[in-house]
Amino acid sequence: MNPEDWIAHDPDPVTAAELSTCSPGELAARFAAPLRFGTAGLRGPVRGGPDAMNLAVVLRASWAVAQVLIAHRRAGSTVVVGRDARHGSEDFAMATAEVLAATGFSVLRLPDPLPTPVVAFAVRETGAAAGIQITASHNPAADNGYKVYFDGGVQIVSPIDADIEAAMASAPPADQIARRPVPPGGEELLARYIGRAAMVRRHRGQVRVALTPLHGVGGATAVAALRAAGFRDIHTVTSQFDPDPDFPTVAFPNPEEPGAADELLKLAADTGADIAIALDPDADRCAVGVPGSDGWRMLTGNETGWLLGDYLLSRLSPGRTADAVVASSVVSSQMLADIAQHHGARHVETLTGFKWLARADMPPIGQQGTVLVYAYEEAIGYCVDPDAVRDKDGISTAVLACDLVAALRDRGTSVIGELDELARRHGVHVTDAVTRRVADIDEAAEVMTRLRAAPPGMLAGFTVAATDLLYRRGPVTDALEFTGERDGTSVRVVVRPSGTEPKLKCYLEVARPPSDDLAGDRAEAQRVRQAVADAVRAW
Protein backbone atom coordinates (compact mmCIF):
# COMPACT_ATOMS: atom_id res chain seq x y z
CA MET A 1 0.00 0.00 0.00
CA ASN A 2 1.44 3.39 -0.95
CA PRO A 3 1.67 6.22 1.62
CA GLU A 4 -1.28 8.15 0.16
CA ASP A 5 -3.63 5.15 0.38
CA TRP A 6 -2.37 4.25 3.87
CA ILE A 7 -3.03 7.78 5.15
CA ALA A 8 -6.45 7.86 3.51
CA HIS A 9 -7.44 4.63 5.30
CA ASP A 10 -5.71 5.27 8.67
CA PRO A 11 -8.50 5.00 11.28
CA ASP A 12 -6.52 7.10 13.77
CA PRO A 13 -6.65 10.81 12.89
CA VAL A 14 -3.56 11.46 15.04
CA THR A 15 -1.25 9.13 13.13
CA ALA A 16 -2.84 10.11 9.81
CA ALA A 17 -2.05 13.77 10.53
CA GLU A 18 1.46 12.85 11.68
CA LEU A 19 2.18 11.00 8.45
CA SER A 20 0.79 13.89 6.41
CA THR A 21 3.44 16.22 7.86
CA CYS A 22 6.38 13.85 7.24
CA SER A 23 9.03 14.89 4.74
CA PRO A 24 9.28 12.78 1.57
CA GLY A 25 12.45 11.16 2.91
CA GLU A 26 10.88 10.29 6.26
CA LEU A 27 7.75 8.98 4.58
CA ALA A 28 9.84 6.79 2.25
CA ALA A 29 11.76 5.41 5.25
CA ARG A 30 8.57 4.52 7.13
CA PHE A 31 7.13 2.70 4.12
CA ALA A 32 10.36 0.97 3.07
CA ALA A 33 9.58 -2.19 5.05
CA PRO A 34 6.71 -3.19 7.34
CA LEU A 35 7.14 -4.09 10.98
CA ARG A 36 8.31 -7.70 11.13
CA PHE A 37 7.66 -10.50 13.60
CA GLY A 38 10.63 -10.88 15.96
CA THR A 39 10.24 -12.44 19.40
CA ALA A 40 6.85 -14.10 18.81
CA GLY A 41 5.30 -10.86 17.69
CA LEU A 42 5.68 -7.25 16.63
CA ARG A 43 7.58 -4.57 18.48
CA GLY A 44 8.42 -0.99 17.54
CA PRO A 45 7.93 2.71 18.23
CA VAL A 46 4.40 4.06 18.67
CA ARG A 47 3.87 6.31 15.64
CA GLY A 48 2.29 6.30 12.19
CA GLY A 49 3.21 4.04 9.30
CA PRO A 50 3.51 0.32 8.55
CA ASP A 51 6.94 0.06 10.21
CA ALA A 52 5.64 1.03 13.67
CA MET A 53 3.03 0.24 16.30
CA ASN A 54 -0.25 2.05 15.66
CA LEU A 55 -3.95 1.34 15.32
CA ALA A 56 -3.76 0.55 11.62
CA VAL A 57 -0.97 -2.01 12.08
CA VAL A 58 -2.75 -3.61 15.05
CA LEU A 59 -6.02 -3.93 13.13
CA ARG A 60 -4.27 -5.56 10.18
CA ALA A 61 -2.25 -7.88 12.45
CA SER A 62 -5.39 -8.99 14.28
CA TRP A 63 -7.20 -9.65 10.99
CA ALA A 64 -4.17 -11.71 9.91
CA VAL A 65 -4.10 -13.74 13.14
CA ALA A 66 -7.78 -14.51 12.62
CA GLN A 67 -7.13 -15.76 9.07
CA VAL A 68 -4.30 -18.04 10.22
CA LEU A 69 -6.42 -19.49 13.04
CA ILE A 70 -9.24 -20.14 10.59
CA ALA A 71 -6.79 -21.86 8.24
CA HIS A 72 -5.78 -24.06 11.19
CA ARG A 73 -9.43 -25.03 11.70
CA ARG A 74 -9.81 -23.02 14.89
CA ALA A 75 -12.63 -20.78 13.67
CA GLY A 76 -14.97 -19.75 16.46
CA SER A 77 -12.59 -20.81 19.24
CA THR A 78 -11.53 -18.71 22.23
CA VAL A 79 -8.80 -16.06 22.05
CA VAL A 80 -7.45 -14.27 25.14
CA VAL A 81 -6.42 -10.61 24.80
CA GLY A 82 -4.45 -8.71 27.43
CA ARG A 83 -2.34 -5.58 27.73
CA ASP A 84 0.25 -3.76 29.77
CA ALA A 85 0.10 -0.04 30.67
CA ARG A 86 2.23 1.42 27.88
CA HIS A 87 1.17 4.27 25.63
CA GLY A 88 -1.48 2.97 23.25
CA SER A 89 -1.93 -0.41 24.95
CA GLU A 90 -5.58 0.09 25.91
CA ASP A 91 -6.64 1.15 22.40
CA PHE A 92 -4.56 -1.60 20.76
CA ALA A 93 -6.01 -4.32 23.01
CA MET A 94 -9.55 -3.09 22.38
CA ALA A 95 -8.98 -3.09 18.62
CA THR A 96 -7.45 -6.57 18.72
CA ALA A 97 -10.40 -7.98 20.66
CA GLU A 98 -12.97 -6.29 18.42
CA VAL A 99 -11.45 -7.55 15.16
CA LEU A 100 -11.27 -11.12 16.43
CA ALA A 101 -14.85 -10.95 17.72
CA ALA A 102 -16.07 -9.63 14.36
CA THR A 103 -14.32 -12.57 12.68
CA GLY A 104 -16.34 -15.03 14.75
CA PHE A 105 -14.02 -15.79 17.65
CA SER A 106 -15.07 -15.93 21.30
CA VAL A 107 -12.83 -13.25 22.79
CA LEU A 108 -11.83 -13.01 26.45
CA ARG A 109 -10.57 -9.45 26.92
CA LEU A 110 -8.85 -9.32 30.28
CA PRO A 111 -9.68 -6.31 32.45
CA ASP A 112 -7.08 -3.71 33.38
CA PRO A 113 -3.36 -3.77 32.56
CA LEU A 114 -1.95 -7.15 33.65
CA PRO A 115 1.37 -9.04 33.51
CA THR A 116 2.19 -10.96 30.33
CA PRO A 117 2.37 -14.34 32.15
CA VAL A 118 -1.30 -13.95 33.12
CA VAL A 119 -2.19 -14.13 29.41
CA ALA A 120 0.06 -17.17 28.88
CA PHE A 121 -1.62 -18.81 31.89
CA ALA A 122 -5.12 -17.90 30.72
CA VAL A 123 -4.58 -19.46 27.28
CA ARG A 124 -3.41 -22.72 28.86
CA GLU A 125 -6.03 -22.68 31.62
CA THR A 126 -8.99 -22.10 29.31
CA GLY A 127 -7.80 -24.20 26.39
CA ALA A 128 -7.92 -21.13 24.17
CA ALA A 129 -6.68 -21.32 20.60
CA ALA A 130 -4.53 -18.22 21.01
CA GLY A 131 -3.56 -15.35 23.24
CA ILE A 132 -2.40 -11.84 22.36
CA GLN A 133 -0.68 -9.50 24.80
CA ILE A 134 -0.10 -5.86 23.92
CA THR A 135 3.34 -5.18 25.41
CA ALA A 136 6.87 -4.12 24.59
CA SER A 137 8.25 -5.80 27.73
CA HIS A 138 11.36 -3.87 28.84
CA ASN A 139 11.82 -1.76 25.69
CA PRO A 140 12.10 2.04 25.97
CA ALA A 141 8.98 4.07 26.79
CA ALA A 142 8.39 5.08 23.16
CA ASP A 143 7.79 1.45 22.09
CA ASN A 144 4.91 -0.97 22.18
CA GLY A 145 4.34 -4.47 20.83
CA TYR A 146 2.01 -7.32 19.93
CA LYS A 147 2.90 -10.75 21.35
CA VAL A 148 1.17 -13.89 20.10
CA TYR A 149 0.63 -17.28 21.78
CA PHE A 150 -1.02 -20.28 20.16
CA ASP A 151 -2.22 -23.61 21.63
CA GLY A 152 -1.03 -24.27 25.17
CA GLY A 153 0.02 -20.67 25.74
CA VAL A 154 3.31 -21.17 23.89
CA GLN A 155 4.87 -18.38 21.83
CA ILE A 156 4.48 -18.86 18.10
CA VAL A 157 7.38 -20.05 15.93
CA SER A 158 7.89 -20.40 12.18
CA PRO A 159 5.98 -20.96 9.97
CA ILE A 160 3.12 -19.40 11.98
CA ASP A 161 4.85 -16.02 12.22
CA ALA A 162 5.53 -16.01 8.47
CA ASP A 163 1.92 -17.00 7.78
CA ILE A 164 0.66 -14.06 9.87
CA GLU A 165 3.03 -11.68 8.10
CA ALA A 166 1.83 -12.93 4.72
CA ALA A 167 -1.79 -12.46 5.75
CA MET A 168 -1.02 -8.93 6.98
CA ALA A 169 0.34 -8.08 3.53
CA SER A 170 -3.01 -8.99 1.99
CA ALA A 171 -5.20 -7.44 4.71
CA PRO A 172 -7.92 -4.96 3.78
CA PRO A 173 -7.34 -1.25 4.44
CA ALA A 174 -7.41 -0.73 8.20
CA ASP A 175 -10.59 1.34 8.25
CA GLN A 176 -12.44 -1.39 6.34
CA ILE A 177 -11.67 -4.18 8.82
CA ALA A 178 -14.83 -5.15 10.73
CA ARG A 179 -14.95 -4.67 14.51
CA ARG A 180 -17.44 -5.76 17.17
CA PRO A 181 -17.47 -4.48 20.78
CA VAL A 182 -16.13 -6.87 23.44
CA PRO A 183 -16.78 -6.25 27.15
CA PRO A 184 -13.92 -7.03 29.55
CA GLY A 185 -14.03 -10.24 31.55
CA GLY A 186 -11.97 -13.01 33.06
CA GLU A 187 -11.45 -11.50 36.51
CA GLU A 188 -11.51 -15.00 37.99
CA LEU A 189 -8.54 -15.99 35.82
CA LEU A 190 -6.33 -13.45 37.59
CA ALA A 191 -7.32 -14.94 40.95
CA ARG A 192 -6.58 -18.43 39.66
CA TYR A 193 -3.22 -17.29 38.32
CA ILE A 194 -2.27 -15.75 41.68
CA GLY A 195 -3.27 -18.95 43.49
CA ARG A 196 -1.22 -21.06 41.10
CA ALA A 197 1.84 -18.80 41.37
CA ALA A 198 1.68 -19.11 45.15
CA MET A 199 1.80 -22.90 44.84
CA VAL A 200 5.38 -22.96 43.54
CA ARG A 201 6.45 -22.57 47.17
CA ARG A 202 8.06 -25.74 48.55
CA HIS A 203 9.23 -24.66 52.01
CA ARG A 204 7.78 -22.88 55.00
CA GLY A 205 9.49 -19.95 56.65
CA GLN A 206 9.38 -16.17 56.51
CA VAL A 207 11.60 -13.69 54.68
CA ARG A 208 11.51 -9.92 54.39
CA VAL A 209 11.09 -8.87 50.75
CA ALA A 210 11.95 -5.62 48.97
CA LEU A 211 10.22 -5.34 45.62
CA THR A 212 9.90 -3.02 42.63
CA PRO A 213 7.85 -3.46 39.43
CA LEU A 214 9.83 -0.61 37.74
CA HIS A 215 6.68 1.38 36.89
CA GLY A 216 5.22 -1.70 35.19
CA VAL A 217 2.09 -3.77 35.71
CA GLY A 218 3.48 -6.46 38.00
CA GLY A 219 3.37 -4.74 41.38
CA ALA A 220 -0.12 -5.55 42.67
CA THR A 221 -0.08 -9.08 41.21
CA ALA A 222 3.34 -9.86 42.68
CA VAL A 223 2.36 -8.62 46.13
CA ALA A 224 -0.87 -10.66 45.98
CA ALA A 225 1.01 -13.83 44.92
CA LEU A 226 3.66 -13.42 47.61
CA ARG A 227 1.01 -12.90 50.28
CA ALA A 228 -0.97 -15.89 49.02
CA ALA A 229 2.24 -17.92 49.37
CA GLY A 230 2.55 -16.80 52.99
CA PHE A 231 5.11 -14.00 52.65
CA ARG A 232 3.70 -11.07 54.61
CA ASP A 233 6.73 -8.83 55.22
CA ILE A 234 6.87 -7.04 51.85
CA HIS A 235 8.30 -3.57 51.24
CA THR A 236 7.87 -1.87 47.87
CA VAL A 237 9.63 1.02 46.13
CA THR A 238 6.83 3.58 46.36
CA SER A 239 8.12 5.81 43.55
CA GLN A 240 8.11 2.86 41.12
CA PHE A 241 5.07 0.88 42.22
CA ASP A 242 2.21 2.34 40.16
CA PRO A 243 2.19 1.73 36.39
CA ASP A 244 3.64 4.70 34.49
CA PRO A 245 4.31 4.38 30.74
CA ASP A 246 6.99 7.08 30.90
CA PHE A 247 9.16 5.13 33.41
CA PRO A 248 10.28 8.42 35.03
CA THR A 249 12.85 7.13 37.55
CA VAL A 250 14.93 4.90 35.25
CA ALA A 251 16.88 5.54 32.07
CA PHE A 252 15.80 2.13 30.70
CA PRO A 253 12.96 0.06 32.26
CA ASN A 254 15.04 -3.10 32.44
CA PRO A 255 16.30 -4.51 35.77
CA GLU A 256 19.53 -5.58 34.02
CA GLU A 257 20.48 -2.02 33.06
CA PRO A 258 23.02 -0.23 35.29
CA GLY A 259 21.25 1.91 37.87
CA ALA A 260 17.78 0.47 37.30
CA ALA A 261 17.81 -1.40 40.62
CA ASP A 262 19.45 1.36 42.70
CA GLU A 263 16.26 2.40 44.50
CA LEU A 264 15.38 -1.23 45.16
CA LEU A 265 18.77 -2.04 46.70
CA LYS A 266 18.59 1.09 48.86
CA LEU A 267 15.16 0.01 50.12
CA ALA A 268 16.47 -3.51 50.78
CA ALA A 269 19.39 -2.15 52.84
CA ASP A 270 17.21 0.36 54.73
CA THR A 271 14.58 -2.22 55.67
CA GLY A 272 16.97 -5.09 56.44
CA ALA A 273 15.40 -7.25 53.75
CA ASP A 274 16.47 -10.82 53.05
CA ILE A 275 15.90 -10.60 49.28
CA ALA A 276 15.30 -7.91 46.69
CA ILE A 277 13.05 -8.53 43.67
CA ALA A 278 12.88 -6.38 40.51
CA LEU A 279 10.32 -7.15 37.82
CA ASP A 280 10.48 -5.77 34.30
CA PRO A 281 7.49 -3.68 33.11
CA ASP A 282 5.32 -6.59 31.91
CA ALA A 283 6.50 -8.82 34.79
CA ASP A 284 7.68 -11.77 32.73
CA ARG A 285 11.28 -11.25 33.90
CA CYS A 286 12.61 -11.24 37.45
CA ALA A 287 15.94 -10.00 38.80
CA VAL A 288 17.12 -11.01 42.27
CA GLY A 289 19.28 -9.02 44.69
CA VAL A 290 20.92 -10.45 47.81
CA PRO A 291 23.07 -9.18 50.69
CA GLY A 292 26.72 -10.18 50.90
CA SER A 293 29.85 -9.30 52.82
CA ASP A 294 30.33 -6.19 50.64
CA GLY A 295 26.70 -5.06 50.74
CA TRP A 296 23.80 -5.69 48.39
CA ARG A 297 24.21 -6.81 44.80
CA MET A 298 22.01 -8.06 41.98
CA LEU A 299 22.64 -11.65 40.91
CA THR A 300 23.36 -12.30 37.27
CA GLY A 301 20.66 -14.05 35.29
CA ASN A 302 22.82 -17.17 35.17
CA GLU A 303 23.43 -17.21 38.92
CA THR A 304 19.69 -17.09 39.58
CA GLY A 305 19.21 -19.70 36.86
CA TRP A 306 21.64 -22.12 38.53
CA LEU A 307 20.13 -21.61 41.99
CA LEU A 308 16.51 -22.12 40.96
CA GLY A 309 17.31 -25.08 38.73
CA ASP A 310 19.23 -26.85 41.48
CA TYR A 311 16.51 -26.06 44.03
CA LEU A 312 13.67 -27.37 41.87
CA LEU A 313 15.52 -30.56 40.94
CA SER A 314 16.44 -31.20 44.57
CA ARG A 315 12.74 -30.99 45.49
CA LEU A 316 11.41 -33.39 42.86
CA SER A 317 9.62 -36.39 44.26
CA PRO A 318 11.35 -39.78 43.86
CA GLY A 319 10.79 -41.31 40.46
CA ARG A 320 10.24 -38.00 38.66
CA THR A 321 13.88 -37.15 37.94
CA ALA A 322 14.54 -39.72 35.21
CA ASP A 323 12.01 -38.14 32.85
CA ALA A 324 12.50 -34.57 34.05
CA VAL A 325 13.92 -32.02 31.64
CA VAL A 326 15.53 -28.69 32.44
CA ALA A 327 16.42 -26.34 29.62
CA SER A 328 18.63 -23.36 28.99
CA SER A 329 19.35 -21.39 25.85
CA VAL A 330 22.52 -21.43 23.78
CA VAL A 331 23.48 -17.97 25.10
CA SER A 332 23.16 -19.03 28.74
CA SER A 333 25.71 -20.68 31.03
CA GLN A 334 26.38 -24.39 30.56
CA MET A 335 26.41 -25.12 34.29
CA LEU A 336 22.74 -26.16 34.27
CA ALA A 337 23.73 -29.24 32.25
CA ASP A 338 26.05 -30.32 35.08
CA ILE A 339 23.38 -29.57 37.68
CA ALA A 340 20.90 -31.73 35.79
CA GLN A 341 23.38 -34.61 35.54
CA HIS A 342 24.07 -34.37 39.29
CA HIS A 343 20.36 -34.86 40.00
CA GLY A 344 19.83 -37.56 37.38
CA ALA A 345 17.69 -35.34 35.14
CA ARG A 346 18.07 -34.42 31.48
CA HIS A 347 19.26 -31.12 30.08
CA VAL A 348 18.24 -29.64 26.73
CA GLU A 349 19.96 -26.66 25.12
CA THR A 350 17.73 -24.63 22.81
CA LEU A 351 17.95 -21.57 20.63
CA THR A 352 17.50 -18.17 22.24
CA GLY A 353 14.01 -17.32 23.45
CA PHE A 354 11.18 -18.98 25.30
CA LYS A 355 9.42 -19.90 22.09
CA TRP A 356 12.13 -22.60 21.94
CA LEU A 357 12.72 -23.20 25.67
CA ALA A 358 9.01 -23.89 26.20
CA ARG A 359 9.27 -26.72 23.66
CA ALA A 360 12.23 -28.45 25.30
CA ASP A 361 10.15 -31.59 26.01
CA MET A 362 8.47 -31.57 22.59
CA PRO A 363 9.91 -33.25 19.48
CA PRO A 364 11.92 -32.36 17.49
CA ILE A 365 13.62 -30.18 20.14
CA GLY A 366 12.98 -32.50 23.07
CA GLN A 367 12.37 -36.18 23.51
CA GLN A 368 8.94 -37.79 23.58
CA GLY A 369 7.95 -38.93 27.06
CA THR A 370 9.98 -36.32 28.94
CA VAL A 371 8.50 -33.57 31.11
CA LEU A 372 9.77 -30.00 31.26
CA VAL A 373 10.14 -28.90 34.88
CA TYR A 374 12.26 -25.76 34.48
CA ALA A 375 13.76 -23.49 31.84
CA TYR A 376 15.78 -20.32 31.94
CA GLU A 377 17.90 -17.95 29.92
CA GLU A 378 20.48 -15.48 31.11
CA ALA A 379 18.33 -12.40 30.37
CA ILE A 380 16.57 -12.92 33.77
CA GLY A 381 13.82 -15.07 32.24
CA TYR A 382 12.65 -18.16 34.19
CA CYS A 383 9.89 -20.70 33.65
CA VAL A 384 9.45 -22.36 37.05
CA ASP A 385 5.99 -23.93 36.61
CA PRO A 386 5.71 -25.11 32.99
CA ASP A 387 2.46 -26.98 33.63
CA ALA A 388 0.78 -23.63 34.31
CA VAL A 389 2.78 -21.07 32.31
CA ARG A 390 4.83 -22.18 29.28
CA ASP A 391 6.77 -18.93 29.19
CA LYS A 392 9.00 -16.88 31.42
CA ASP A 393 7.11 -15.67 34.47
CA GLY A 394 8.50 -13.05 36.84
CA ILE A 395 5.71 -13.44 39.41
CA SER A 396 6.05 -17.16 40.11
CA THR A 397 9.84 -16.77 39.92
CA ALA A 398 9.67 -14.14 42.66
CA VAL A 399 7.70 -16.54 44.87
CA LEU A 400 10.19 -19.37 44.25
CA ALA A 401 13.21 -17.12 44.86
CA CYS A 402 11.78 -16.03 48.23
CA ASP A 403 11.06 -19.67 49.04
CA LEU A 404 14.66 -20.58 48.23
CA VAL A 405 16.01 -17.88 50.56
CA ALA A 406 13.77 -19.14 53.37
CA ALA A 407 14.90 -22.75 52.81
CA LEU A 408 18.59 -21.79 52.73
CA ARG A 409 18.29 -19.78 55.93
CA ASP A 410 16.71 -22.75 57.70
CA ARG A 411 19.71 -24.81 56.58
CA GLY A 412 22.05 -22.24 58.09
CA THR A 413 23.32 -20.89 54.79
CA SER A 414 22.59 -18.11 52.30
CA VAL A 415 22.36 -17.46 48.58
CA ILE A 416 26.05 -16.53 48.49
CA GLY A 417 26.89 -19.70 50.40
CA GLU A 418 24.82 -21.78 48.00
CA LEU A 419 26.61 -20.26 45.00
CA ASP A 420 29.89 -21.31 46.63
CA GLU A 421 28.54 -24.84 47.06
CA LEU A 422 27.56 -25.03 43.39
CA ALA A 423 31.02 -23.81 42.40
CA ARG A 424 32.69 -26.47 44.57
CA ARG A 425 30.50 -29.12 42.97
CA HIS A 426 30.53 -27.99 39.33
CA GLY A 427 33.49 -25.64 39.07
CA VAL A 428 33.69 -21.87 38.89
CA HIS A 429 31.68 -20.37 36.04
CA VAL A 430 31.95 -16.66 35.28
CA THR A 431 29.64 -15.11 32.70
CA ASP A 432 29.31 -11.72 31.06
CA ALA A 433 27.48 -10.02 28.19
CA VAL A 434 29.10 -7.47 25.92
CA THR A 435 26.65 -5.38 23.90
CA ARG A 436 27.61 -3.39 20.85
CA ARG A 437 24.98 -0.89 19.73
CA VAL A 438 24.65 -0.56 15.97
CA ALA A 439 22.85 1.91 13.75
CA ASP A 440 20.42 -0.66 12.36
CA ILE A 441 20.00 -4.32 11.50
CA ASP A 442 22.07 -3.87 8.36
CA GLU A 443 25.15 -2.94 10.37
CA ALA A 444 24.63 -5.95 12.66
CA ALA A 445 24.37 -8.18 9.57
CA GLU A 446 27.61 -6.73 8.19
CA VAL A 447 29.49 -7.65 11.38
CA MET A 448 28.07 -11.19 11.32
CA THR A 449 29.04 -11.57 7.65
CA ARG A 450 32.59 -10.45 8.40
CA LEU A 451 32.95 -12.87 11.32
CA ARG A 452 31.62 -15.74 9.21
CA ALA A 453 34.00 -14.95 6.35
CA ALA A 454 37.06 -14.73 8.60
CA PRO A 455 36.34 -16.21 12.06
CA PRO A 456 39.07 -15.44 14.60
CA GLY A 457 41.21 -18.46 15.48
CA MET A 458 42.61 -16.91 18.66
CA LEU A 459 40.75 -15.21 21.49
CA ALA A 460 42.63 -13.71 24.46
CA GLY A 461 45.40 -16.28 24.06
CA PHE A 462 43.02 -19.24 23.58
CA THR A 463 42.84 -21.20 20.36
CA VAL A 464 39.15 -21.24 19.51
CA ALA A 465 36.96 -23.18 17.09
CA ALA A 466 33.94 -21.57 15.47
CA THR A 467 30.51 -23.19 15.08
CA ASP A 468 27.95 -21.48 12.86
CA LEU A 469 24.50 -21.99 14.38
CA LEU A 470 22.92 -20.90 11.11
CA TYR A 471 23.93 -24.22 9.53
CA ARG A 472 23.60 -26.77 12.30
CA ARG A 473 21.07 -29.62 12.35
CA GLY A 474 17.61 -28.86 13.68
CA PRO A 475 16.34 -25.30 14.36
CA VAL A 476 18.90 -22.71 13.28
CA THR A 477 19.66 -19.15 14.37
CA ASP A 478 21.85 -16.28 13.25
CA ALA A 479 24.65 -16.82 15.76
CA LEU A 480 28.29 -17.93 15.97
CA GLU A 481 29.79 -19.90 18.85
CA PHE A 482 33.51 -19.80 19.67
CA THR A 483 34.98 -22.31 22.13
CA GLY A 484 38.45 -23.08 23.40
CA GLU A 485 40.32 -24.63 26.34
CA ARG A 486 43.77 -24.20 27.90
CA ASP A 487 45.26 -25.59 31.11
CA GLY A 488 41.83 -26.60 32.43
CA THR A 489 40.20 -23.24 31.75
CA SER A 490 37.53 -23.17 29.05
CA VAL A 491 36.18 -20.14 27.22
CA ARG A 492 32.97 -19.80 25.25
CA VAL A 493 31.54 -16.86 23.32
CA VAL A 494 28.23 -16.73 21.46
CA VAL A 495 27.61 -13.69 19.25
CA ARG A 496 24.27 -12.83 17.66
CA PRO A 497 22.22 -9.82 16.57
CA SER A 498 19.38 -8.83 18.90
CA GLY A 499 15.91 -9.84 17.79
CA THR A 500 14.22 -6.73 19.17
CA GLU A 501 16.77 -3.89 19.31
CA PRO A 502 19.65 -2.49 17.18
CA LYS A 503 22.36 -4.35 19.06
CA LEU A 504 24.98 -7.01 18.54
CA LYS A 505 25.23 -9.21 21.64
CA CYS A 506 28.21 -11.30 22.76
CA TYR A 507 27.67 -13.80 25.58
CA LEU A 508 30.82 -14.89 27.44
CA GLU A 509 31.50 -17.81 29.77
CA VAL A 510 34.76 -18.81 31.43
CA ALA A 511 34.82 -22.04 33.44
CA ARG A 512 37.38 -23.77 35.62
CA PRO A 513 37.15 -27.33 37.00
CA PRO A 514 36.06 -27.99 40.62
CA SER A 515 38.70 -27.30 43.28
CA ASP A 516 38.98 -26.13 46.87
CA ASP A 517 40.49 -22.79 45.85
CA LEU A 518 37.34 -20.86 44.98
CA ALA A 519 38.98 -17.47 45.48
CA GLY A 520 41.92 -18.32 43.24
CA ASP A 521 39.72 -19.89 40.58
CA ARG A 522 37.37 -16.91 40.56
CA ALA A 523 40.24 -14.45 40.28
CA GLU A 524 41.71 -16.34 37.33
CA ALA A 525 38.31 -16.74 35.65
CA GLN A 526 37.64 -13.02 36.04
CA ARG A 527 41.04 -12.19 34.55
CA VAL A 528 40.30 -14.35 31.51
CA ARG A 529 36.76 -12.96 31.25
CA GLN A 530 38.11 -9.42 31.09
CA ALA A 531 40.63 -10.36 28.42
CA VAL A 532 37.93 -12.09 26.35
CA ALA A 533 35.55 -9.13 26.77
CA ASP A 534 38.25 -6.73 25.57
CA ALA A 535 38.88 -8.96 22.55
CA VAL A 536 35.25 -9.22 21.44
CA ARG A 537 34.73 -5.46 21.77
CA ALA A 538 37.21 -5.10 18.90
CA TRP A 539 34.99 -7.21 16.59
Side-chain angles (χ1 to χ4, degrees):
M1 188 180 297
N2 62 47
E4 292 75 18
D5 287 343
W6 182 281
I7 293 169
H9 291 286
D10 192 333
D12 185 345
V14 174
T15 50
E18 175 201 335
L19 289 171
S20 298
T21 61
C22 286
S23 68
E26 173 66 16
L27 207 58
R30 294 198 188 189
F31 282 78
L35 202 60
R36 299 292 305 273
F37 269 73
T39 308
L42 306 168
R43 199 178 294 184
V46 178
R47 54 175 173 75
D51 71 336
M53 281 294 295
N54 51 69
L55 186 59
V57 166
V58 167
L59 289 168
R60 290 164 62 86
S62 302
W63 183 89
V65 169
Q67 306 314 305
V68 172
L69 285 170
I70 291 168
H72 283 247
R73 300 184 179 181
R74 300 306 304 270
S77 53
T78 299
V79 180
V80 179
V81 177
R83 64 181 172 96
D84 65 12
R86 285 178 175 266
H87 293 295
S89 286
E90 184 173 7
D91 290 340
F92 296 163
M94 181 81 74
T96 299
E98 290 179 351
V99 170
L100 288 160
T103 321
F105 290 89
S106 173
V107 181
L108 181 59
R109 180 168 69 88
L110 297 177
D112 306 316
L114 289 171
T116 294
V118 175
V119 172
F121 169 83
V123 174
R124 201 169 181 84
E125 181 79 355
T126 62
I132 297 166
Q133 171 79 340
I134 305 298
T135 180
S137 189
H138 55 281
N139 272 38
D143 290 357
N144 212 326
Y146 187 100
K147 187 172 187 177
V148 183
Y149 299 93
F150 265 28
D151 291 310
V154 182
Q155 295 180 29
I156 60 169
V157 293
S158 186
I160 300 297
D161 51 2
D163 291 343
I164 296 172
E165 283 187 350
M168 284 181 70
S170 63
D175 63 347
Q176 295 178 10
I177 294 174
R179 301 168 66 172
R180 192 178 79 197
V182 179
E187 292 86 350
E188 74 287 352
L189 282 168
L190 175 60
R192 278 146 67 182
Y193 168 81
I194 289 169
R196 179 67 188 224
M199 289 173 60
V200 304
R201 191 170 187 190
R202 269 107 174 128
H203 188 78
R204 291 298 155 199
Q206 285 300 311
V207 294
R208 179 170 295 168
V209 184
L211 181 142
T212 179
L214 283 185
H215 303 292
V217 296
T221 305
V223 169
L226 287 167
R227 286 179 176 159
F231 298 110
R232 303 292 180 183
D233 196 354
I234 304 167
H235 301 259
T236 61
V237 179
T238 304
S239 63
Q240 298 175 339
F241 191 79
D242 294 329
D244 188 330
D246 294 318
F247 309 108
T249 69
V250 292
F252 294 98
N254 181 351
E256 294 182 290
E257 292 286 344
D262 286 356
E263 290 194 33
L264 171 68
L265 295 183
K266 182 180 184 303
L267 175 68
D270 290 347
T271 58
D274 301 300
I275 183 173
I277 298 289
L279 304 173
D280 77 337
D282 70 331
D284 65 349
R285 299 172 192 256
C286 176
V288 176
V290 296
S293 57
D294 298 325
W296 280 83
R297 77 170 178 92
M298 300 302 291
L299 299 179
T300 69
N302 283 310
E303 287 174 327
T304 302
W306 305 332
L307 290 162
L308 296 181
D310 184 69
Y311 184 53
L312 284 172
L313 287 173
S314 72
R315 294 289 176 138
L316 282 183
S317 57
R320 279 202 65 195
T321 4
D323 297 327
V325 165
V326 295
S328 54
S329 67
V330 68
V331 300
S332 302
S333 165
Q334 296 190 307
M335 189 196 278
L336 187 63
D338 294 334
I339 291 171
Q341 184 178 31
H342 173 79
H343 290 285
R346 307 182 190 203
H347 173 260
V348 172
E349 183 180 87
T350 76
L351 300 184
T352 308
F354 271 82
K355 61 184 180 182
W356 302 112
L357 287 164
R359 292 174 164 86
D361 59 349
M362 306 176 191
I365 297 171
Q367 190 172 333
Q368 192 77 39
T370 60
V371 180
L372 182 66
V373 298
Y374 173 69
Y376 97 93
E377 64 180 358
E378 55 78 41
I380 58 173
Y382 311 93
C383 174
V384 301
D385 185 11
D387 287 345
V389 178
R390 279 272 167 157
D391 198 5
K392 53 189 178 293
D393 181 353
I395 307 290
S396 58
T397 298
V399 173
L400 187 66
C402 292
D403 188 53
L404 169 64
V405 170
L408 292 175
R409 189 169 63 183
D410 281 359
R411 281 170 36 200
T413 186
S414 65
V415 166
I416 301 301
E418 190 67 5
L419 286 172
D420 286 346
E421 179 59 30
L422 289 174
R424 278 188 285 268
R425 189 196 307 160
H426 304 295
V428 164
H429 288 243
V430 172
T431 62
D432 196 4
V434 175
T435 298
R436 174 178 167 181
R437 291 192 176 272
V438 292
D440 50 36
I441 58 173
D442 290 337
E443 184 180 347
E446 287 171 9
V447 177
M448 295 299 293
T449 298
R450 175 165 51 80
L451 288 174
R452 283 192 168 95
M458 295 292 294
L459 193 60
F462 286 77
T463 301
V464 292
T467 302
D468 194 337
L469 303 186
L470 198 56
Y471 299 105
R472 72 176 191 174
R473 292 182 61 188
V476 298
T477 188
D478 185 9
L480 290 164
E481 180 184 41
F482 299 91
T483 55
E485 189 270 337
R486 187 186 68 201
D487 300 329
T489 298
S490 64
V491 297
R492 179 173 177 264
V493 176
V494 178
V495 57
R496 71 174 183 93
S498 170
T500 56
E501 300 173 89
K503 294 177 179 178
L504 199 71
K505 295 186 174 182
C506 301
Y507 303 86
L508 285 54
E509 182 167 25
V510 178
R512 288 179 59 79
S515 81
D516 293 327
D517 185 13
L518 289 185
D521 286 338
R522 282 182 174 140
E524 174 60 13
Q526 288 288 5
R527 183 193 69 77
V528 174
R529 178 205 58 79
Q530 185 61 58
V532 172
D534 291 342
V536 301
R537 285 191 181 97
W539 288 353

